[in-house]
Amino acid sequence: MDPILKVMTLVDENELDVMLDELSKTKKAVSLGFLNQHGYNLILQKKEIEDSFLNLDYLLRDGKGIELACRYNKISPKLNLNGTDFIPLLIDRLLKLENKPAFFAYGTSSPWLEKGAQSLFNDSFVHCLDGFQDLPTYKEHYLKNKTNGLDVIVLAMGMPKQEILASMLKAIAVSKTIIICGGAILDFQAGKVRRCPKMFQQLGLEWFYRLLNEPKRLFSRYVIGIPLFFKNVFISKLK
């Protein structure tokens, strides 16, 4: 079995609510991220990146590519849990807690950072820092502002920087903390990036819609990256 796919947290409809409840009641620092074809390719590039992904406590399946890779390895892919849909679901559950968490948003740039954070966290106070700082700056910011209650940190600075930072923050979080690798979640919440039509989502072609809208930025990730992904999946199964 593919060693990368083996560590994923795969859940069905009945298990999803249990996982959300488990996360909201955590008594320790936990980290959560999403594995798509781009992340899979990155893992194979460098040991530090591989370690950061494998160190995540919850690694959820995101996208058609990973679904096909699961089926190729005779693994039930279960639910597709991309960050754009899953993270607001989790935050909504956390906002209903009797003792409200402290929220942190690290990623993107102003004004999208502040707008996205306010939308995602329903106008709660949020500790914000843009996504273009060096990693020690985020550690210092978190250590300065962390609480004794539940801290919720959304990292929206793209792969693999957010996964590497998640490992670093998890190591210094001494109380209950949820660290979420969120990619473009703040840009989506702020309205900077539009979600693709339902038809594309249902066909597993959200990547194609994004490529049409951002061809220059996403050419390498998809036009080059998708064939490379399937090659990597094939090779990994042979090992």
Side-chain angles (χ1 to χ4, degrees), residues 42-68:
L42 289 172
I43 287 172
L44 298 176
Q45 290 180 10
K46 195 174 181 182
K47 186 65 166 63
E48 181 188 20
I49 299 174
E50 178 185 6
D51 290 344
S52 67
F53 271 89
L54 300 188
N55 189 44
L56 293 167
D57 296 289
Y58 300 82
L59 184 58
L60 308 181
R61 178 180 74 80
D62 177 8
K64 192 69 175 179
I66 300 298
E67 177 191 340
L68 295 174

mmCIF file of all heavy atoms in Angstrom, residues 42-68:
data_model
loop_
_atom_site.group_PDB
_atom_site.id
_atom_site.type_symbol
_atom_site.label_atom_id
_atom_site.label_comp_id
_atom_site.label_asym_id
_atom_site.label_seq_id
_atom_site.Cartn_x
_atom_site.Cartn_y
_atom_site.Cartn_z
ATOM 1 N N LEU A 42 4.520 17.310 -3.464
ATOM 2 C CA LEU A 42 5.462 18.023 -2.598
ATOM 3 C C LEU A 42 6.121 17.091 -1.587
ATOM 4 O O LEU A 42 7.315 17.217 -1.298
ATOM 5 C CB LEU A 42 4.737 19.153 -1.853
ATOM 6 C CG LEU A 42 4.308 20.367 -2.681
ATOM 7 C CD1 LEU A 42 3.441 21.296 -1.838
ATOM 8 C CD2 LEU A 42 5.530 21.117 -3.209
ATOM 9 N N ILE A 43 5.349 16.163 -1.053
ATOM 10 C CA ILE A 43 5.872 15.229 -0.055
ATOM 11 C C ILE A 43 7.079 14.464 -0.586
ATOM 12 O O ILE A 43 8.033 14.174 0.149
ATOM 13 C CB ILE A 43 4.757 14.247 0.385
ATOM 14 C CG1 ILE A 43 3.746 14.974 1.282
ATOM 15 C CG2 ILE A 43 5.327 13.036 1.104
ATOM 16 C CD1 ILE A 43 2.514 14.157 1.610
ATOM 17 N N LEU A 44 7.055 14.155 -1.871
ATOM 18 C CA LEU A 44 8.124 13.358 -2.474
ATOM 19 C C LEU A 44 9.355 14.184 -2.829
ATOM 20 O O LEU A 44 10.375 13.625 -3.248
ATOM 21 C CB LEU A 44 7.596 12.647 -3.723
ATOM 22 C CG LEU A 44 6.449 11.652 -3.477
ATOM 23 C CD1 LEU A 44 5.943 11.095 -4.799
ATOM 24 C CD2 LEU A 44 6.891 10.527 -2.550
ATOM 25 N N GLN A 45 9.276 15.503 -2.638
ATOM 26 C CA GLN A 45 10.387 16.364 -3.038
ATOM 27 C C GLN A 45 11.460 16.513 -1.964
ATOM 28 O O GLN A 45 12.645 16.662 -2.267
ATOM 29 C CB GLN A 45 9.866 17.755 -3.419
ATOM 30 C CG GLN A 45 9.081 17.788 -4.713
ATOM 31 C CD GLN A 45 8.594 19.186 -5.049
ATOM 32 O OE1 GLN A 45 8.980 20.177 -4.426
ATOM 33 N NE2 GLN A 45 7.742 19.280 -6.056
ATOM 34 N N LYS A 46 11.033 16.491 -0.685
ATOM 35 C CA LYS A 46 11.974 16.828 0.380
ATOM 36 C C LYS A 46 11.542 16.170 1.683
ATOM 37 O O LYS A 46 10.362 16.143 2.006
ATOM 38 C CB LYS A 46 12.014 18.359 0.539
ATOM 39 C CG LYS A 46 13.167 18.894 1.333
ATOM 40 C CD LYS A 46 13.160 20.426 1.274
ATOM 41 C CE LYS A 46 14.332 21.009 2.037
ATOM 42 N NZ LYS A 46 14.313 22.494 2.020
ATOM 43 N N LYS A 47 12.513 15.658 2.445
ATOM 44 C CA LYS A 47 12.211 14.949 3.690
ATOM 45 C C LYS A 47 11.505 15.858 4.696
ATOM 46 O O LYS A 47 10.585 15.421 5.407
ATOM 47 C CB LYS A 47 13.518 14.425 4.303
ATOM 48 C CG LYS A 47 13.326 13.546 5.527
ATOM 49 C CD LYS A 47 12.607 12.245 5.169
ATOM 50 C CE LYS A 47 12.699 11.206 6.278
ATOM 51 N NZ LYS A 47 12.057 11.609 7.527
ATOM 52 N N GLU A 48 11.886 17.123 4.776
ATOM 53 C CA GLU A 48 11.252 18.048 5.725
ATOM 54 C C GLU A 48 9.768 18.201 5.424
ATOM 55 O O GLU A 48 8.936 18.265 6.330
ATOM 56 C CB GLU A 48 11.932 19.420 5.674
ATOM 57 C CG GLU A 48 11.339 20.423 6.665
ATOM 58 C CD GLU A 48 11.881 21.825 6.494
ATOM 59 O OE1 GLU A 48 12.411 22.140 5.405
ATOM 60 O OE2 GLU A 48 11.762 22.615 7.449
ATOM 61 N N ILE A 49 9.425 18.259 4.144
ATOM 62 C CA ILE A 49 8.023 18.388 3.741
ATOM 63 C C ILE A 49 7.271 17.110 4.070
ATOM 64 O O ILE A 49 6.155 17.143 4.614
ATOM 65 C CB ILE A 49 7.904 18.729 2.252
ATOM 66 C CG1 ILE A 49 8.587 20.066 1.947
ATOM 67 C CG2 ILE A 49 6.438 18.756 1.818
ATOM 68 C CD1 ILE A 49 8.640 20.416 0.472
ATOM 69 N N GLU A 50 7.862 15.974 3.754
ATOM 70 C CA GLU A 50 7.236 14.688 4.080
ATOM 71 C C GLU A 50 6.957 14.592 5.572
ATOM 72 O O GLU A 50 5.850 14.227 5.990
ATOM 73 C CB GLU A 50 8.141 13.535 3.652
ATOM 74 C CG GLU A 50 7.583 12.167 4.009
ATOM 75 C CD GLU A 50 8.542 11.037 3.686
ATOM 76 O OE1 GLU A 50 9.695 11.310 3.294
ATOM 77 O OE2 GLU A 50 8.135 9.868 3.823
ATOM 78 N N ASP A 51 7.945 14.931 6.393
ATOM 79 C CA ASP A 51 7.783 14.845 7.848
ATOM 80 C C ASP A 51 6.667 15.760 8.344
ATOM 81 O O ASP A 51 5.908 15.398 9.243
ATOM 82 C CB ASP A 51 9.093 15.202 8.549
ATOM 83 C CG ASP A 51 10.168 14.142 8.358
ATOM 84 O OD1 ASP A 51 9.826 13.017 7.962
ATOM 85 O OD2 ASP A 51 11.350 14.448 8.595
ATOM 86 N N SER A 52 6.563 16.966 7.751
ATOM 87 C CA SER A 52 5.551 17.920 8.207
ATOM 88 C C SER A 52 4.142 17.416 7.903
ATOM 89 O O SER A 52 3.227 17.590 8.713
ATOM 90 C CB SER A 52 5.781 19.296 7.575
ATOM 91 O OG SER A 52 5.561 19.264 6.167
ATOM 92 N N PHE A 53 3.950 16.790 6.753
ATOM 93 C CA PHE A 53 2.637 16.224 6.417
ATOM 94 C C PHE A 53 2.319 15.017 7.297
ATOM 95 O O PHE A 53 1.210 14.886 7.817
ATOM 96 C CB PHE A 53 2.583 15.822 4.942
ATOM 97 C CG PHE A 53 2.131 16.909 4.015
ATOM 98 C CD1 PHE A 53 3.051 17.784 3.464
ATOM 99 C CD2 PHE A 53 0.790 17.073 3.694
ATOM 100 C CE1 PHE A 53 2.646 18.796 2.601
ATOM 101 C CE2 PHE A 53 0.368 18.074 2.833
ATOM 102 C CZ PHE A 53 1.302 18.941 2.283
ATOM 103 N N LEU A 54 3.289 14.145 7.470
ATOM 104 C CA LEU A 54 3.052 12.925 8.238
ATOM 105 C C LEU A 54 2.898 13.209 9.731
ATOM 106 O O LEU A 54 2.377 12.381 10.468
ATOM 107 C CB LEU A 54 4.185 11.918 7.999
ATOM 108 C CG LEU A 54 4.379 11.455 6.553
ATOM 109 C CD1 LEU A 54 5.401 10.329 6.481
ATOM 110 C CD2 LEU A 54 3.058 11.000 5.934
ATOM 111 N N ASN A 55 3.337 14.391 10.172
ATOM 112 C CA ASN A 55 3.197 14.775 11.570
ATOM 113 C C ASN A 55 1.804 15.304 11.899
ATOM 114 O O ASN A 55 1.461 15.498 13.059
ATOM 115 C CB ASN A 55 4.246 15.845 11.926
ATOM 116 C CG ASN A 55 4.319 16.134 13.413
ATOM 117 O OD1 ASN A 55 4.319 15.223 14.236
ATOM 118 N ND2 ASN A 55 4.351 17.417 13.760
ATOM 119 N N LEU A 56 0.989 15.552 10.867
ATOM 120 C CA LEU A 56 -0.370 16.026 11.102
ATOM 121 C C LEU A 56 -1.194 14.918 11.763
ATOM 122 O O LEU A 56 -1.123 13.758 11.379
ATOM 123 C CB LEU A 56 -1.027 16.441 9.781
ATOM 124 C CG LEU A 56 -0.423 17.664 9.083
ATOM 125 C CD1 LEU A 56 -0.951 17.770 7.656
ATOM 126 C CD2 LEU A 56 -0.723 18.936 9.865
ATOM 127 N N ASP A 57 -1.991 15.284 12.756
ATOM 128 C CA ASP A 57 -2.820 14.291 13.449
ATOM 129 C C ASP A 57 -3.998 13.851 12.591
ATOM 130 O O ASP A 57 -4.460 12.712 12.701
ATOM 131 C CB ASP A 57 -3.332 14.876 14.770
ATOM 132 C CG ASP A 57 -2.200 15.182 15.727
ATOM 133 O OD1 ASP A 57 -1.597 14.236 16.262
ATOM 134 O OD2 ASP A 57 -1.910 16.374 15.929
ATOM 135 N N TYR A 58 -4.500 14.760 11.768
ATOM 136 C CA TYR A 58 -5.599 14.458 10.852
ATOM 137 C C TYR A 58 -5.187 14.922 9.466
ATOM 138 O O TYR A 58 -4.955 16.113 9.246
ATOM 139 C CB TYR A 58 -6.884 15.188 11.253
ATOM 140 C CG TYR A 58 -7.410 14.859 12.623
ATOM 141 C CD1 TYR A 58 -6.897 15.483 13.760
ATOM 142 C CD2 TYR A 58 -8.447 13.927 12.794
ATOM 143 C CE1 TYR A 58 -7.395 15.190 15.022
ATOM 144 C CE2 TYR A 58 -8.947 13.636 14.061
ATOM 145 C CZ TYR A 58 -8.409 14.266 15.173
ATOM 146 O OH TYR A 58 -8.900 13.971 16.419
ATOM 147 N N LEU A 59 -5.083 13.980 8.526
ATOM 148 C CA LEU A 59 -4.750 14.314 7.149
ATOM 149 C C LEU A 59 -5.917 13.847 6.283
ATOM 150 O O LEU A 59 -6.095 12.651 6.041
ATOM 151 C CB LEU A 59 -3.448 13.625 6.722
ATOM 152 C CG LEU A 59 -2.919 13.948 5.323
ATOM 153 C CD1 LEU A 59 -2.676 15.450 5.164
ATOM 154 C CD2 LEU A 59 -1.636 13.167 5.040
ATOM 155 N N LEU A 60 -6.728 14.794 5.843
ATOM 156 C CA LEU A 60 -7.996 14.487 5.181
ATOM 157 C C LEU A 60 -7.846 14.465 3.661
ATOM 158 O O LEU A 60 -7.043 15.207 3.093
ATOM 159 C CB LEU A 60 -9.050 15.520 5.588
ATOM 160 C CG LEU A 60 -9.221 15.730 7.102
ATOM 161 C CD1 LEU A 60 -10.311 16.756 7.375
ATOM 162 C CD2 LEU A 60 -9.551 14.414 7.800
ATOM 163 N N ARG A 61 -8.662 13.640 3.024
ATOM 164 C CA ARG A 61 -8.603 13.518 1.561
ATOM 165 C C ARG A 61 -9.258 14.714 0.890
ATOM 166 O O ARG A 61 -10.394 15.063 1.171
ATOM 167 C CB ARG A 61 -9.306 12.234 1.097
ATOM 168 C CG ARG A 61 -9.292 12.105 -0.430
ATOM 169 C CD ARG A 61 -9.963 10.856 -0.919
ATOM 170 N NE ARG A 61 -11.417 10.901 -0.836
ATOM 171 C CZ ARG A 61 -12.208 11.515 -1.713
ATOM 172 N NH1 ARG A 61 -11.680 12.204 -2.706
ATOM 173 N NH2 ARG A 61 -13.517 11.473 -1.590
ATOM 174 N N ASP A 62 -8.532 15.292 -0.051
ATOM 175 C CA ASP A 62 -9.017 16.468 -0.770
ATOM 176 C C ASP A 62 -8.836 16.265 -2.275
ATOM 177 O O ASP A 62 -7.713 16.297 -2.775
ATOM 178 C CB ASP A 62 -8.248 17.715 -0.307
ATOM 179 C CG ASP A 62 -8.636 18.970 -1.062
ATOM 180 O OD1 ASP A 62 -9.609 18.932 -1.846
ATOM 181 O OD2 ASP A 62 -7.970 20.008 -0.867
ATOM 182 N N GLY A 63 -9.936 16.043 -2.981
ATOM 183 C CA GLY A 63 -9.869 16.064 -4.429
ATOM 184 C C GLY A 63 -9.957 14.727 -5.130
ATOM 185 O O GLY A 63 -9.780 13.657 -4.543
ATOM 186 N N LYS A 64 -10.236 14.835 -6.436
ATOM 187 C CA LYS A 64 -10.436 13.659 -7.277
ATOM 188 C C LYS A 64 -9.161 12.840 -7.447
ATOM 189 O O LYS A 64 -9.203 11.613 -7.516
ATOM 190 C CB LYS A 64 -10.949 14.106 -8.656
ATOM 191 C CG LYS A 64 -11.476 12.978 -9.525
ATOM 192 C CD LYS A 64 -12.765 12.409 -8.957
ATOM 193 C CE LYS A 64 -13.366 11.369 -9.883
ATOM 194 N NZ LYS A 64 -14.613 10.789 -9.339
ATOM 195 N N GLY A 65 -8.022 13.531 -7.532
ATOM 196 C CA GLY A 65 -6.771 12.824 -7.726
ATOM 197 C C GLY A 65 -6.479 11.839 -6.613
ATOM 198 O O GLY A 65 -6.114 10.682 -6.862
ATOM 199 N N ILE A 66 -6.637 12.283 -5.370
ATOM 200 C CA ILE A 66 -6.378 11.394 -4.236
ATOM 201 C C ILE A 66 -7.437 10.293 -4.164
ATOM 202 O O ILE A 66 -7.149 9.168 -3.755
ATOM 203 C CB ILE A 66 -6.322 12.190 -2.921
ATOM 204 C CG1 ILE A 66 -5.196 13.231 -2.979
ATOM 205 C CG2 ILE A 66 -6.098 11.265 -1.729
ATOM 206 C CD1 ILE A 66 -3.806 12.650 -3.137
ATOM 207 N N GLU A 67 -8.668 10.610 -4.573
ATOM 208 C CA GLU A 67 -9.694 9.560 -4.639
ATOM 209 C C GLU A 67 -9.261 8.446 -5.591
ATOM 210 O O GLU A 67 -9.348 7.249 -5.264
ATOM 211 C CB GLU A 67 -11.031 10.134 -5.105
ATOM 212 C CG GLU A 67 -12.116 9.073 -5.266
ATOM 213 C CD GLU A 67 -13.369 9.570 -5.964
ATOM 214 O OE1 GLU A 67 -13.588 10.794 -5.999
ATOM 215 O OE2 GLU A 67 -14.121 8.733 -6.486
ATOM 216 N N LEU A 68 -8.788 8.834 -6.780
ATOM 217 C CA LEU A 68 -8.350 7.839 -7.763
ATOM 218 C C LEU A 68 -7.132 7.064 -7.262
ATOM 219 O O LEU A 68 -7.012 5.860 -7.492
ATOM 220 C CB LEU A 68 -8.041 8.524 -9.092
ATOM 221 C CG LEU A 68 -9.240 9.165 -9.806
ATOM 222 C CD1 LEU A 68 -8.773 9.948 -11.034
ATOM 223 C CD2 LEU A 68 -10.268 8.108 -10.206
#
